[in-house]
DNA sequence: GAGTGGTCTAGACCACCAA
DNA sequence: TGGTGGTCTAGACCACTCT
């Protein structure tokens, strides 16, 4: 309890916690808080900025500073399931998977390493960017890289051309099945999950208010012999996403 | 490119990205930036505050504003492994697991639900708080709840008293083995991972600089018949932690 | 002591929103 | 139109770190 804006911030945080300012409501305006605590405008703004950075409130011009309410969407992995499933906490809500871009690229060092491609050759991989939405709001941005050979198998199996594979959003959910039918059955998925604050581009794409971190997931899907079939980097809105894993411990 | 502090912030972000200000170095002082961009002090501070909230820099009084360098510790789950293992990215580094508190408590609604304990009875569970450290820095705070019956089994199996079970930090890594020996073999672990900004207490405990989120993991360990053996809530420093899961897809 | 970032003020103007 | 938060200024004092 040292500085003024810390005292003000802690007081407001307490009031949010005890329900004095319930979720969805607005806290008192800057001017009202200036009067209550007898401080200058920027001191109040510092205090409110702290709360915004903690994700507790979202200041809105012309409206007021709104107490945030969260509802998360859970993504679940379980052994034996073909792929990750949207495990809705609440009931329903329209999901949508939209392909933003799809193009053939030369993978950079990082992607080559994940796909275990040799450095000398000139590999081509299909690079797709997708937006996964829930109730009209983008919850996760997925960047996916698939080696040319795997795309060929899927393409043959599905009876569609490469262009379709590249741009068909629905193909995504069935991709693992298509791989299996083509003889490239995926057997393990490894995901590394970390978190950080979004850069401005990500905050824009995910419509993140200040103070909301992103969940970053790096995925590699492999065949039984250890051959990587695809890799993906997923950036999800921290206030709208969670990932669940169930791992067997039997030996 | 609208407001002044955004322009300044973007310029500094670009310079950090292109190596003009390498990790560990300091960016120019507030006064130097005031001169360069011909703005007032608080405008520079707003710009720097944005970068700090993104986790790119850490302002230090008397030192300057330091460009952050990250090194993460990975925690990995794999099928068949007895428990999560510290999967060091870099080599070595002393790990430490310290019990902060251990006491018998009446579980609240949330914990009872996770452990699937009936609401009517008066259950007692062992509540332990531990700090997991790497190289002297706390990376994760673990709160763990174990039903009395399970503690009894472990206690008998290990040949130590309840008090020892409660306070022995080393017991943690072997807990799953002890459970197995006692006939309470854990067979599955389910973890739900999410992220958010830390509250002040967490930021203090984890020594988090501003702009670093936390990884929050909710774990439930179950026996083959579905009986929960323990549950835990883990709060890890977002700039020092990641979790890796490998899940088999075979059917 | 000199330089750093941290806090705070009093006042001004702007952008946005609802009634 | 009036109220909201957003930006910006010029200046002051404080707390901390290094030399």
């Amino acid at each position: 309890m040292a500085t003024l804006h810390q005292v003000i911030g802690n007081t407001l945080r307490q009031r949010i916690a005890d329900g004095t300012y319930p979720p969805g409501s607005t806290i008192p305006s800057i001017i009202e808080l200036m009067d209550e605590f007898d401080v200058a405008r920027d001191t109040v703004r510092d205090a409110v900025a702290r709360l915004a950075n903690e994700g507790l409130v979202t200041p809105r011009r012309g409206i007021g500073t709104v107490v945030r309410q969260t509802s998360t969407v859970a993504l679940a992995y379980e052994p034996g399931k073909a792929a990750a499933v949207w495990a809705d906490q609440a009931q329903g809500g329209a999901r949508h998977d939209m392909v933003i871009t799809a193009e053939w690229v030369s993978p950079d060092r990082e992607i080559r390493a994940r796909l275990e491609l040799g450095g000398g050759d000139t590999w081509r991989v299909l690079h797709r960017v997708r937006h996964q939405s829930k109730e009209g709001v983008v919850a996760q941005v997925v960047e996916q890289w698939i080696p040319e050979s795997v795309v060929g198998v899927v393409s043959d199996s599905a009876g569609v051309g490469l262009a379709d594979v590249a741009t068909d959003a629905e193909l995504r959910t069935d991709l693992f099945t298509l791989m299996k039918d083509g003889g490239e059955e995926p057997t393990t998925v490894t995901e590394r999950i970390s978190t950080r604050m979004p850069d401005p581009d990500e905050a824009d794409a995910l419509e993140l208010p200040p103070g909301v971190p992103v969940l970053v997931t790096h995925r590699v899907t492999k065949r039984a012999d250890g051959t990587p079939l695809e890799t993906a980097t997923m950036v999800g809105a921290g206030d709208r996403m969670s990932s669940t894993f169930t791992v067997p411990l039997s030996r």
Side-chain angles (χ1 to χ4, degrees), chain A:
Chain A
M1 289 290 202
T3 68
L4 265 179
H5 76 253
Q6 279 172 359
V7 172
I8 297 172
N10 290 342
T11 302
L12 296 177
R13 188 183 299 108
Q14 180 58 42
R15 290 179 186 171
I16 291 172
D18 69 20
T20 306
Y21 310 140
S25 71
T26 58
I27 68 175
S29 72
I30 290 183
I31 294 181
E32 287 171 328
L33 292 173
M34 284 170 65
D35 290 343
E36 174 179 353
F37 293 98
D38 193 29
V39 295
R41 178 191 180 88
D42 277 15
T43 304
V44 170
R45 286 200 67 244
D46 279 352
V48 174
R50 287 179 74 90
L51 300 186
N53 286 334
E54 290 173 25
L56 290 178
V57 298
T58 303
R60 295 197 188 285
R61 258 198 286 225
I63 303 287
T65 298
V66 181
V67 179
R68 207 174 284 172
Q69 45 192 342
T70 59
S71 73
T72 61
V73 173
L75 208 61
Y77 269 94
E78 284 191 42
K81 293 288 172 60
V85 294
W86 292 90
D88 289 349
Q89 300 288 68
Q91 54 273 28
R95 277 110 53 194
H96 196 62
D97 197 326
M98 184 169 63
V99 173
I100 305 301
T101 66
E103 53 186 353
W104 293 97
V105 298
S106 297
D108 63 16
R109 184 181 206 79
E110 160 76 13
I111 299 306
R112 275 207 306 272
R114 282 203 230 161
L115 293 175
E116 297 176 15
L117 300 175
D121 301 306
T122 55
W123 299 92
R124 281 166 60 79
V125 301
L126 179 59
H127 176 222
R128 298 202 302 168
V129 177
R130 301 199 315 276
H131 284 184
Q132 295 179 337
S133 307
K134 171 97 188 295
E135 291 165 7
V137 183
V138 177
Q140 191 167 239
V141 176
V142 181
E143 279 193 272
Q144 187 177 34
W145 294 266
I146 313 173
E148 191 167 18
S149 57
V150 176
V151 174
V153 165
V154 171
S155 185
D156 293 345
S157 165
V160 294
L162 288 184
D164 299 315
V165 174
T167 57
D168 185 356
E170 297 312 315
L171 212 52
R172 184 254 166 190
T173 18
D174 302 313
L175 188 57
F176 286 177
T177 303
L178 290 173
M179 285 178 174
K180 184 185 180 186
D181 293 343
E184 300 277 14
E185 183 176 15
T187 55
T188 64
V189 165
T190 299
E191 301 208 345
R192 186 171 68 82
I193 300 182
S194 57
T195 184
R196 58 174 169 76
M197 295 307 287
D199 64 34
D201 289 342
E202 292 166 336
D204 187 59
L206 294 171
E207 297 178 48
L208 292 177
V212 177
V214 288
L215 259 193
V216 182
T217 306
H218 289 197
R219 178 179 72 197
V220 178
T221 306
K222 291 188 177 182
R223 218 165 50 175
D225 63 4
T227 310
L229 293 175
E230 64 98 39
T231 186
T233 296
M234 296 168 274
V235 178
D239 61 347
R240 303 193 278 270
M241 285 286 308
S242 71
S243 281
T244 301
F245 294 86
T246 299
V247 181
L249 297 175
S250 56
R251 295 176 268 198

